[in-house]
Amino acid sequence: MESSRLDTLALDQQHLVRKVTANLRDQFAGTFGPETIERFVVDSLELLLPTAKVTTFLPVLAESFTKDRLQALGKTDGSLPSTIPGVLFLCVHNAGRSQMAAGWLRHLTSGRVTVYSGGSEPASEINAAAIAAMAEVGIDITAEFPKPWTDEIVRAADVVITMGCGDACPLYPGKRYEDWELDDPAGQDVAAVRPIRDEIRARVETLISSLAIEPL
């Protein structure tokens, strides 16, 4: 079944899937078999393709996305147990607010929180003004990319922070949900994004305190 799904992809995409699967095989050896890894790679690729502006980076993006999804699946099914809290930031395009929040949380906790982000309608690229505003405070988010939320990542998150995605945001029982009302940086210049960035930092610091994790 999965082989036929792979066969429906273009030849260059089939090569991409096989390459990414091989890269992840050793990392998840003993936890997930090659068939499962390949299935997630194919699915991740198909989720990213509709908004891929430059396909040159698709192998890196597909590998990163698949890795996050498999680690999330392992946490929820018990094959990769983790005591590190997981936080998922969700907005519409996963291009501005949620990316800045994820950048702050990674920066302020340095690996002591598993950070996810996603969008209900992912954009093709991260907001340039958001990238510039975060760079001003020494946080590089250029390696991040807009992506949709997925079932296993929502299930792996202990806290889900929503930012304007409304009814499109997933609701799962047993999760702690917060809705952050923030101005949308879309279409704004860096000067307008700075106060949004700073408000997000303050909210992230409060979030960290509630998780009993000390800022660096």
CSV table of all heavy atoms in Angstrom, one decimal, residues 168-192:
chain,number,residue,atom,x,y,z
A,168,ALA,N,-10.2,26.6,13.6
A,168,ALA,CA,-9.3,25.7,12.9
A,168,ALA,C,-8.2,25.0,13.8
A,168,ALA,O,-7.6,24.1,13.4
A,168,ALA,CB,-8.6,26.5,11.8
A,169,CYS,N,-8.1,25.6,15.0
A,169,CYS,CA,-7.1,25.0,15.9
A,169,CYS,C,-7.6,23.7,16.5
A,169,CYS,O,-8.8,23.6,16.8
A,169,CYS,CB,-6.8,26.0,17.0
A,169,CYS,SG,-5.7,27.3,16.5
A,170,PRO,N,-6.8,22.7,16.6
A,170,PRO,CA,-7.3,21.4,17.1
A,170,PRO,C,-7.5,21.4,18.6
A,170,PRO,O,-6.7,22.0,19.3
A,170,PRO,CB,-6.1,20.4,16.7
A,170,PRO,CG,-4.9,21.3,16.8
A,170,PRO,CD,-5.4,22.6,16.2
A,171,LEU,N,-8.6,20.7,19.0
A,171,LEU,CA,-8.9,20.6,20.4
A,171,LEU,C,-8.8,19.1,20.8
A,171,LEU,O,-9.6,18.3,20.3
A,171,LEU,CB,-10.3,21.2,20.7
A,171,LEU,CG,-10.4,22.7,20.6
A,171,LEU,CD1,-11.8,23.2,20.8
A,171,LEU,CD2,-9.5,23.5,21.6
A,172,TYR,N,-7.9,18.8,21.7
A,172,TYR,CA,-7.8,17.5,22.2
A,172,TYR,C,-8.0,17.4,23.7
A,172,TYR,O,-7.5,18.3,24.4
A,172,TYR,CB,-6.4,16.9,21.9
A,172,TYR,CG,-6.1,16.6,20.5
A,172,TYR,CD1,-6.2,17.6,19.5
A,172,TYR,CD2,-5.8,15.3,20.1
A,172,TYR,CE1,-5.9,17.3,18.1
A,172,TYR,CE2,-5.5,15.0,18.8
A,172,TYR,CZ,-5.6,16.0,17.8
A,172,TYR,OH,-5.4,15.7,16.5
A,173,PRO,N,-8.7,16.4,24.2
A,173,PRO,CA,-8.9,16.4,25.7
A,173,PRO,C,-7.6,16.2,26.4
A,173,PRO,O,-6.6,15.5,25.9
A,173,PRO,CB,-9.8,15.2,25.9
A,173,PRO,CG,-9.6,14.3,24.6
A,173,PRO,CD,-9.3,15.3,23.5
A,174,GLY,N,-7.5,16.7,27.7
A,174,GLY,CA,-6.3,16.5,28.5
A,174,GLY,C,-5.1,17.4,28.2
A,174,GLY,O,-4.1,17.3,28.8
A,175,LYS,N,-5.3,18.4,27.3
A,175,LYS,CA,-4.3,19.3,27.0
A,175,LYS,C,-4.6,20.6,27.8
A,175,LYS,O,-5.7,21.0,28.0
A,175,LYS,CB,-4.2,19.6,25.5
A,175,LYS,CG,-4.0,18.4,24.7
A,175,LYS,CD,-2.6,17.9,24.8
A,175,LYS,CE,-2.5,16.6,24.0
A,175,LYS,NZ,-1.2,15.9,24.4
A,176,ARG,N,-3.5,21.3,28.1
A,176,ARG,CA,-3.6,22.7,28.6
A,176,ARG,C,-3.6,23.6,27.5
A,176,ARG,O,-2.6,23.7,26.7
A,176,ARG,CB,-2.5,23.0,29.6
A,176,ARG,CG,-2.4,24.5,30.0
A,176,ARG,CD,-1.2,24.7,30.9
A,176,ARG,NE,-0.7,26.1,30.9
A,176,ARG,CZ,0.4,26.5,31.4
A,176,ARG,NH1,1.3,25.6,31.9
A,176,ARG,NH2,0.7,27.8,31.3
A,177,TYR,N,-4.7,24.4,27.3
A,177,TYR,CA,-4.8,25.3,26.2
A,177,TYR,C,-4.7,26.8,26.7
A,177,TYR,O,-5.3,27.1,27.7
A,177,TYR,CB,-6.1,25.1,25.4
A,177,TYR,CG,-6.1,24.0,24.5
A,177,TYR,CD1,-6.4,22.7,24.9
A,177,TYR,CD2,-5.7,24.2,23.1
A,177,TYR,CE1,-6.4,21.6,24.0
A,177,TYR,CE2,-5.7,23.1,22.2
A,177,TYR,CZ,-6.1,21.8,22.7
A,177,TYR,OH,-6.0,20.8,21.8
A,178,GLU,N,-4.0,27.6,25.9
A,178,GLU,CA,-4.0,29.1,26.2
A,178,GLU,C,-4.2,29.7,24.8
A,178,GLU,O,-3.7,29.3,23.8
A,178,GLU,CB,-2.7,29.5,26.8
A,178,GLU,CG,-2.5,29.1,28.2
A,178,GLU,CD,-1.2,29.7,28.8
A,178,GLU,OE1,-0.7,30.7,28.2
A,178,GLU,OE2,-0.7,29.1,29.8
A,179,ASP,N,-5.0,30.8,24.8
A,179,ASP,CA,-5.1,31.6,23.6
A,179,ASP,C,-4.5,33.0,23.8
A,179,ASP,O,-4.9,33.7,24.7
A,179,ASP,CB,-6.6,31.8,23.2
A,179,ASP,CG,-6.8,32.5,21.9
A,179,ASP,OD1,-6.2,32.0,20.9
A,179,ASP,OD2,-7.4,33.6,21.9
A,180,TRP,N,-3.5,33.3,23.0
A,180,TRP,CA,-2.8,34.5,23.2
A,180,TRP,C,-3.3,35.5,22.1
A,180,TRP,O,-3.1,35.2,20.9
A,180,TRP,CB,-1.3,34.3,23.0
A,180,TRP,CG,-0.6,33.6,24.1
A,180,TRP,CD1,-1.2,33.1,25.2
A,180,TRP,CD2,0.8,33.3,24.2
A,180,TRP,NE1,-0.3,32.4,26.0
A,180,TRP,CE2,1.0,32.5,25.4
A,180,TRP,CE3,1.9,33.5,23.4
A,180,TRP,CZ2,2.2,32.1,25.8
A,180,TRP,CZ3,3.1,33.0,23.8
A,180,TRP,CH2,3.3,32.3,25.0
A,181,GLU,N,-3.9,36.6,22.5
A,181,GLU,CA,-4.4,37.6,21.6
A,181,GLU,C,-3.2,38.5,21.3
A,181,GLU,O,-2.7,39.3,22.1
A,181,GLU,CB,-5.5,38.4,22.2
A,181,GLU,CG,-6.8,37.5,22.3
A,181,GLU,CD,-8.0,38.4,22.7
A,181,GLU,OE1,-7.9,39.6,22.7
A,181,GLU,OE2,-9.0,37.8,23.0
A,182,LEU,N,-2.7,38.4,20.1
A,182,LEU,CA,-1.5,39.2,19.6
A,182,LEU,C,-1.8,39.8,18.2
A,182,LEU,O,-2.5,39.2,17.4
A,182,LEU,CB,-0.3,38.3,19.5
A,182,LEU,CG,0.2,37.6,20.8
A,182,LEU,CD1,1.1,36.4,20.4
A,182,LEU,CD2,1.0,38.6,21.6
A,183,ASP,N,-1.3,41.0,18.0
A,183,ASP,CA,-1.4,41.6,16.7
A,183,ASP,C,-0.7,40.7,15.7
A,183,ASP,O,0.3,40.1,16.0
A,183,ASP,CB,-0.7,43.0,16.7
A,183,ASP,CG,-1.5,44.0,17.5
A,183,ASP,OD1,-2.7,43.8,17.7
A,183,ASP,OD2,-0.9,45.0,17.9
A,184,ASP,N,-1.2,40.7,14.5
A,184,ASP,CA,-0.6,39.8,13.4
A,184,ASP,C,0.5,40.6,12.7
A,184,ASP,O,0.3,41.7,12.2
A,184,ASP,CB,-1.7,39.5,12.4
A,184,ASP,CG,-1.3,38.4,11.4
A,184,ASP,OD1,0.0,38.2,11.3
A,184,ASP,OD2,-2.1,37.8,10.7
A,185,PRO,N,1.7,40.1,12.7
A,185,PRO,CA,2.8,40.8,12.0
A,185,PRO,C,2.7,40.8,10.5
A,185,PRO,O,3.5,41.4,9.8
A,185,PRO,CB,4.1,40.1,12.5
A,185,PRO,CG,3.6,38.7,12.8
A,185,PRO,CD,2.2,38.8,13.3
A,186,ALA,N,1.8,40.0,9.9
A,186,ALA,CA,1.7,39.9,8.4
A,186,ALA,C,1.6,41.3,7.8
A,186,ALA,O,0.7,42.1,8.2
A,186,ALA,CB,0.5,39.0,8.0
A,187,GLY,N,2.4,41.6,6.8
A,187,GLY,CA,2.3,42.9,6.1
A,187,GLY,C,2.9,44.1,6.9
A,187,GLY,O,2.9,45.2,6.4
A,188,GLN,N,3.5,43.8,8.1
A,188,GLN,CA,4.0,44.9,8.9
A,188,GLN,C,5.5,45.0,8.7
A,188,GLN,O,6.2,44.1,8.3
A,188,GLN,CB,3.8,44.6,10.4
A,188,GLN,CG,2.3,44.4,10.7
A,188,GLN,CD,1.5,45.7,10.7
A,188,GLN,OE1,2.0,46.8,10.7
A,188,GLN,NE2,0.2,45.5,10.6
A,189,ASP,N,6.1,46.2,8.9
A,189,ASP,CA,7.5,46.4,8.9
A,189,ASP,C,8.1,46.0,10.2
A,189,ASP,O,7.4,45.7,11.2
A,189,ASP,CB,7.9,47.8,8.4
A,189,ASP,CG,7.4,48.9,9.4
A,189,ASP,OD1,7.0,48.5,10.5
A,189,ASP,OD2,7.4,50.0,9.0
A,190,VAL,N,9.5,46.0,10.3
A,190,VAL,CA,10.2,45.6,11.5
A,190,VAL,C,9.8,46.5,12.7
A,190,VAL,O,9.6,46.0,13.8
A,190,VAL,CB,11.7,45.6,11.3
A,190,VAL,CG1,12.4,45.3,12.5
A,190,VAL,CG2,12.1,44.7,10.2
A,191,ALA,N,9.6,47.8,12.5
A,191,ALA,CA,9.3,48.7,13.6
A,191,ALA,C,7.9,48.2,14.2
A,191,ALA,O,7.8,48.3,15.4
A,191,ALA,CB,9.2,50.1,13.1
A,192,ALA,N,7.0,47.8,13.4
A,192,ALA,CA,5.7,47.4,13.9
A,192,ALA,C,5.7,46.0,14.6
A,192,ALA,O,4.9,45.7,15.4
A,192,ALA,CB,4.7,47.4,12.8
